Amino acid sequence: MTPPAPEGLVLRDGPALPPLAHFKLAAFDMDSTLIGIECIDEIAALAGRGAEVAAITEAAMRGEITDFKDSLRRRLALLAGVPAGVLDRVLAERLHFNPGARELCAALKAAGLKLLLVSGGFTFFTRFVAAELGMDFVRSNELEIVDGALTGRLVMQDWGDICDGEQKRLMLLACCAAVGCRPEQAIAVGDGANDLPMMGAAGLSVAYHAKPRVREQARVAIDGGGLARLLDVLRP
């Protein structure tokens, strides 16, 4: 059985965790996982539409709105007409990495893992985060901008238009195939309900300061401290 976890970490009962060397891929959610904000909420707040958008975000994260695509479309529609310059302000003024994000990603890369950033957020922000953390694969949503303003819609990409929970799962599996590993050799880290499909497909699921439903289903829950706490329970 797994030994007791250090304070601030919760391990569900099960066989001993494999060593870090067992894993070949680590997949991360972005908003509220790698970074300390929900980007869509910050865009809305700067545009004066924060309360309406945040309420939908929170309900979706808790799993009360079960159709992520529907919840995202409803929130985006509230942002139609917002100047695209607001995105620059969110990036410059509000986006910050969660404690331990850089350290954990650096340690995983040093151990030979490939990193995947898979987000229901937006490419404007994932490009920055992926570059800062050395991500090998990225999938996220592309905001449609026309005449310098958000349209309230997303751009269709070759895989679809909305990266929801199922798309996160499929991307994790595709990246496993690309690096030549089994899903059991993947780690998935998230905090919200739409992370559960990829967390369920991975060999190790990690909840970071997560919503109750996610925390209850994850093998490892980081409830205190930063993301690098994961290294406390994965021996080399």
Side-chain angles (χ1 to χ4, degrees):
M1 298 294 286
T2 302
E7 185 177 356
L9 292 172
V10 177
L11 270 64
R12 292 175 61 201
D13 287 340
L17 295 180
L20 182 56
H22 167 82
F23 297 101
K24 305 299 181 187
L25 177 77
F28 291 90
D29 171 53
M30 182 177 73
D31 293 35
S32 297
T33 300
L34 288 173
I35 63 176
I37 62 171
E38 291 287 328
C39 290
I40 193 167
D41 291 354
E42 300 298 334
I43 296 168
L46 289 176
R49 302 171 193 177
E52 308 99 295
V53 169
I56 300 173
T57 299
E58 187 66 17
M61 293 286 286
R62 289 194 303 264
E64 294 170 6
I65 299 177
T66 55
D67 187 337
F68 176 80
K69 291 184 177 182
D70 176 60
S71 76
L72 182 57
R73 289 190 178 105
R74 286 165 56 185
R75 287 175 285 171
L76 285 171
L78 293 168
L79 301 179
V82 172
V86 168
L87 303 179
D88 296 290
R89 286 189 59 196
V90 171
L91 182 59
E93 300 171 15
R94 303 201 172 190
L95 189 148
H96 59 277
F97 287 93
N98 273 329
R102 293 181 186 276
E103 293 83 353
L104 176 58
C105 288
L108 295 178
K109 287 184 73 71
L113 280 75
K114 298 296 185 181
L115 304 184
L116 162 63
L117 175 57
V118 60
S119 172
F122 309 119
T123 57
F124 184 89
F125 303 105
T126 58
R127 278 193 291 266
F128 171 79
V129 170
E132 288 288 307
L133 299 180
M135 295 287 167
D136 299 286
F137 307 99
V138 185
R139 178 156 294 179
S140 57
N141 303 314
E142 180 77 36
L143 289 166
E144 185 179 66
I145 298 172
V146 175
D147 297 329
L150 304 185
T151 66
R153 297 185 297 272
L154 295 171
V155 175
M156 180 65 70
Q157 302 182 65
D158 57 4
W159 49 265
D161 63 337
I162 293 182
C163 184
D164 62 354
E166 176 61 9
Q167 189 57 232
K168 289 186 176 189
R169 186 186 71 85
L170 292 174
M171 185 61 177
L172 180 142
L173 295 176
C175 290
C176 285
V179 304
C181 74
R182 305 184 308 278
E184 294 78 20
Q185 294 173 287
I187 301 169
V189 187
D191 73 297
N194 72 327
D195 297 316
L196 287 172
M198 73 169 180
M199 291 169 69
L204 177 60
S205 56
V206 182
Y208 178 71
H209 293 267
K211 301 301 180 186
R213 181 178 163 204
V214 180
R215 182 182 180 279
E216 290 162 5
Q217 296 186 44
R219 180 71 198 279
V220 177
I222 302 173
D223 296 334
L227 281 160
R229 296 295 308 279
L230 178 60
L231 300 172
D232 293 345
V233 294
L234 285 180
R235 63 190 187 278

